[in-house]
Amino acid sequence: MKVDQQVLRIVAEVLGVHAEDVDVDLPLRDWGQVCRINDETCMVLNINIGTQLASQCRTVGDYLRLVRSAA
């Protein structure tokens, strides 16, 4: 599974929506959800992204770019 697909699946799980409903323009507003998304993503992909850095992402697309730069 590609990195983008894994991240989108994790985002969908955390937000409680279907993966098809997650796109790059989806806003990430809740700090707690961003922390959980980041924790799970880092564990699955074996990468290290700080919570503070992840919390600066305003959309799923922002977070995907951050993950790609760390992977």
Side-chain angles (χ1 to χ4, degrees):
M1 188 180 290
K2 293 182 180 180
V3 170
D4 288 9
Q5 292 172 322
Q6 289 178 306
V7 172
L8 294 176
R9 183 189 53 78
I10 291 167
V11 170
E13 273 182 24
V14 171
L15 299 180
V17 299
H18 293 286
E20 309 84 53
D21 296 332
V22 177
D23 68 12
V24 295
D25 296 323
L26 184 69
L28 297 172
R29 295 187 181 119
D30 183 270
W31 186 82
Q33 289 176 332
V34 172
C35 290
R36 188 167 162 217
I37 290 166
N38 189 55
D39 289 348
E40 292 188 27
T41 300
C42 288
M43 190 170 33
V44 167
L45 299 178
N46 196 28
I47 58 175
N48 186 18
I49 297 174
T51 302
Q52 186 175 10
L53 191 56
S55 68
Q56 294 175 9
C57 298
R58 298 291 169 234
T59 66
V60 171
D62 292 341
Y63 187 67
L64 280 171
R65 282 187 287 282
L66 179 61
V67 169
R68 285 184 203 129
S69 71

